[in-house]
């Protein structure tokens, strides 16, 4: 009898924790003033390399040099979003708006791998009772695309984020008949920069801010771009970002073959061992080139213009996003093969954010101890005279009116917080901070 009761309680508990999610396209009305730039069209990977060199050179400022004027972007565009809510929390009054960083899309917040402890959404919704809206930034993944130079820039993406928060506040978010009392923007990396910028432009848009993979120190952007070894996305993954298609019987072949099998057999024929072939296919750009080449079914290639860029391979990904020894290689490979590009316009406007914000709500920065992009690989490497405990803690100066500020350094973690073994500990710390400062789920 006791065992039966225990089983019943467990089943009821699981049902109470279950979440309901729906994916939808959200029309947003954009208005953003941003730069018009003139740079030569990128036609090769060497052009992408030169663009990276020019962008990070200390001999000038490419953003200023390429700027020819300003324009105001207006219009209605679609933002791809996933809304999730707990089945059990009918009194839910707080929603989290999740904005991803460069190289990922909204799936970064709901990583499905292994035991499931990588999903931020699962923790936020099932464990803590929040509603969440994860979005693809404008110009990326399933959201509306546009010119990668003079359209897909930081200002239009921030404008889209602002429109999403307004809809959630006034109850006009499609298929969600709730006007949320509290809105928390949760960003990662470039998404954090945009959440910070939103708080400066429209401090009333959110009630709390969580900035993951973030600090106020931009000194490490140059080494980051160098480590990425930027390539044109359509050349890096031609079956995803280009126009390549997996033909069952390519021209000049009399039987069904695929590029992956041909490459594997060719490398074996050249004398490489099975282990060496696997290294070639899994840790070099060759693996990216072959992504989806052997898939029985695949999405239609995106045929992106050459102004969409990406890093070279999983080695570049590890250097900038991961802390060796504290992540699962198979997960890293999954994230590498499903990565998303960035645009030249984003690169030129990545630093165009205010120095500070008047936002007065609670702010938490959650950054991995070994974050290479925002801490140079050691977030505790601060000058003792600064008075700050860490590099992210120095960003407190940018939030002079925040009623609460915390810089939490997650141990044994690189830049991609959600991709490390101990991601769940960071998720708990984030939600305990929100609850402690009046931003619980209800």
């Amino acid at each position: 009898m006791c065992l039966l009761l225990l089983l019943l309680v467990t089943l009821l508990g699981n049902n109470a924790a279950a979440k309901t999610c729906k994916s939808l396209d959200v029309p947003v009305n954009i208005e953003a003033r941003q730069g018009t730039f003139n740079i030569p069209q990128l036609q090769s990977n060497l052009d992408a390399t030169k663009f990276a060199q020019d962008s990070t050179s200390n001999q000038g400022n490419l953003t200023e040099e390429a700027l020819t004027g300003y324009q105001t972007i207006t219009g209605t565009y679609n933002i791809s979003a996933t809304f999730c809510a707990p089945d059990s929390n009918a009194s839910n009054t707080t929603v989290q708006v999740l904005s991803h960083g460069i190289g990922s899309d909204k799936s970064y917040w709901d990583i499905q791998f292994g035991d499931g402890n990588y999903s931020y959404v699962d923790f936020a919704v099932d464990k803590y009772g929040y509603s969440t809206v994860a979005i693809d930034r404008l110009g990326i993944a399933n959201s509306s695309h546009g010119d990668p130079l003079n359209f897909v820039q930081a200002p239009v993406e921030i404008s889209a984020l602002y429109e999403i928060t307004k809809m959630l506040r006034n109850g006009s978010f499609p298929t969600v008949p709730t006007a949320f009392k509290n809105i928390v923007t949760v960003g990662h990396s470039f998404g954090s920069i945009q959440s910070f910028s939103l708080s400066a432009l429209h401090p009333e848009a959110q009630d709390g801010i969580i900035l993951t993979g973030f600090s106020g120190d931009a000194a490490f952007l140059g080494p980051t771009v160098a480590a990425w070894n930027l390539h044109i996305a359509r050349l890096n993954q031609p079956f995803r970002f280009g126009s390549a298609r997996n033909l069952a019987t390519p021209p000049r072949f009399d039987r069904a073959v695929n590029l992956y099998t041909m490459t594997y057999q060719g490398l074996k024929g050249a004398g490489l061992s099975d282990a060496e072939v696997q290294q070639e296919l899994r840790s070099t750009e060759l693996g990216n080139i072959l992504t989806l080449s052997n898939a029985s079914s695949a999405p239609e290639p995106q045929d992106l213009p050459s102004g969409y860029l990406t890093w070279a391979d999983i080695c570049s990904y590890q250097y900038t996003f991961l802390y060796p020894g504290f992540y699962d290689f198979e997960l890293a490979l999954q994230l590498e093969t499903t990565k998303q590009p960035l645009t030249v316009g984003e690169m030129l406007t990545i630093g165009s954010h205010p120095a500070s914000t008047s936002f007065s709500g609670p702010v938490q920065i959650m950054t991995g101890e070994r974050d290479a992009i925002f801490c140079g690989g050691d977030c505790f490497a601060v000058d003792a005279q600064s008075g700050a405990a860490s590099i992210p803690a120095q960003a407190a100066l940018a939030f002079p009116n925040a009623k609460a500020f915390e810089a939490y350094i997650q141990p044994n973690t690189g830049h991609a917080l959600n991709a490390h073994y101990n991601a769940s500990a960071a998720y708990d710390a984030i939600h305990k901070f929100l609850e402690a400062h009046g931003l619980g789920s209800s």
Side-chain angles (χ1 to χ4, degrees):
M1 183 66 178
C2 291
L3 181 60
L4 181 60
L5 287 173
L6 179 61
L7 179 60
L8 181 60
V9 169
T10 301
L11 289 173
L12 289 174
N14 287 340
N15 287 336
K19 68 180 184 292
T20 300
C21 295
K22 48 189 168 184
S23 297
L24 61 161
D25 289 329
V26 182
V28 294
N29 296 316
I30 299 297
E31 183 174 352
R33 183 176 184 269
Q34 57 185 29
T36 54
F37 298 99
N38 182 22
I39 63 170
Q41 182 178 357
L42 307 185
Q43 297 183 350
S44 70
N45 285 330
L46 286 176
D47 290 340
T49 299
K50 184 179 186 304
F51 173 73
Q53 290 173 296
D54 293 342
S55 298
T56 58
S57 172
N58 60 10
Q59 294 183 339
N61 184 316
L62 181 60
T63 299
E64 293 180 355
E65 294 166 2
L67 183 68
T68 61
Y70 292 91
Q71 63 177 335
T72 298
I73 301 291
T74 59
T76 302
Y77 301 91
N78 286 332
I79 294 297
S80 179
T82 299
F83 176 85
C84 295
D87 286 339
S88 60
N89 190 359
S91 61
N92 183 297
T93 60
T94 302
V95 62
Q96 298 184 28
V97 182
L98 314 178
S99 182
H100 62 85
I102 283 174
S104 58
D105 55 24
K106 61 181 178 290
S107 67
Y108 173 80
W109 301 105
D110 192 21
I111 295 174
Q112 298 301 311
F113 180 83
D115 59 10
N117 284 334
Y118 295 97
S119 173
Y120 180 91
V121 172
D122 283 353
F123 270 74
V125 179
D126 291 344
K127 184 173 182 178
Y128 289 95
Y130 290 86
S131 293
T132 62
V133 177
I135 64 172
D136 287 339
R137 294 197 322 273
L138 185 61
I140 303 300
N142 292 319
S143 290
S144 295
H145 286 203
D147 174 32
L149 177 60
N150 286 320
F151 176 74
V152 186
Q153 299 177 13
V156 294
E157 295 175 322
I158 295 166
S159 178
L161 178 61
Y162 179 45
E163 294 302 313
I164 294 292
T165 63
K166 286 198 298 183
M167 291 179 185
L168 292 166
R169 181 82 76 186
N170 63 29
S172 63
F173 192 86
T175 75
V176 181
T178 302
F180 289 94
K181 176 183 177 183
N182 296 317
I183 295 176
V184 177
T185 52
V186 183
H188 177 253
S189 193
F190 193 35
S192 289
I193 293 174
Q194 294 188 1
S195 293
F196 169 73
S197 296
L198 176 64
S199 76
L201 295 170
H202 305 285
E204 79 291 346
Q206 63 265 72
D207 302 282
I209 301 175
I210 304 294
L211 306 175
T212 73
F214 178 83
S215 80
D217 195 334
F220 313 106
L221 179 61
T224 295
V225 174
W228 281 345
N229 187 18
L230 287 173
H231 287 189
I232 293 174
R234 63 179 293 114
L235 299 179
N236 183 261
Q237 289 194 3
F239 290 89
R240 289 185 67 215
F241 302 136
S243 56
R245 286 170 172 79
N246 187 13
L247 301 177
T249 306
R252 298 191 298 276
F253 285 84
D254 59 4
R255 58 189 175 84
V257 297
N258 66 59
L259 185 60
Y260 186 94
T261 301
M262 292 170 57
T263 304
Y264 188 96
Q265 293 176 348
L267 292 172
K268 285 283 291 180
L272 273 67
S273 67
D274 285 331
E276 290 170 331
V277 171
Q278 287 301 316
Q279 283 291 313
E280 289 290 344
L281 296 178
R282 289 158 64 87
S283 65
T284 72
E285 190 182 9
L286 182 57
N288 275 311
I289 293 172
L290 297 175
T291 295
L292 295 183
S293 67
N294 63 337
S296 57
S297 62
E300 189 72 10
Q302 296 182 39
D303 197 14
L304 297 177
S306 60
Y308 278 85
L309 307 174
T310 187
W311 54 77
D313 53 35
I314 197 170
C315 298
S316 298
Y317 182 56
Q318 174 184 284
Y319 188 98
T320 50
F321 285 85
L322 302 171
Y323 184 40
F326 293 90
Y327 73 90
D328 190 307
F329 175 77
E330 295 300 327
L331 173 57
L333 191 64
Q334 172 182 310
L335 297 175
E336 174 65 17
T337 56
T338 59
K339 66 185 177 181
Q340 293 292 337
L342 67 151
T343 71
V344 290
E346 289 177 317
M347 282 281 291
L348 291 170
T349 58
I350 195 170
S352 59
H353 56 78
S356 64
T357 171
S358 63
F359 178 73
S360 59
V363 177
Q364 185 194 58
I365 295 177
M366 169 66 72
T367 299
E369 176 187 4
R370 299 298 181 179
D371 190 308
I373 297 178
F374 281 95
C375 292
D378 183 0
C379 280
F380 291 115
V382 292
D383 187 335
Q385 296 180 346
S386 72
S390 66
I391 293 174
Q394 294 174 332
L397 296 175
F399 297 94
N401 298 326
K403 76 172 187 179
F405 176 88
E406 178 183 63
Y408 190 103
I409 307 303
Q410 178 69 0
N412 299 323
T413 301
H415 182 64
L417 194 85
N418 298 14
H420 288 78
Y421 289 135
N422 59 353
S424 60
Y427 302 161
D428 280 329
I430 289 170
H431 289 95
K432 288 175 181 177
F433 176 84
L434 291 175
E435 291 177 340
H437 297 287
L439 292 174
S441 60
S442 59

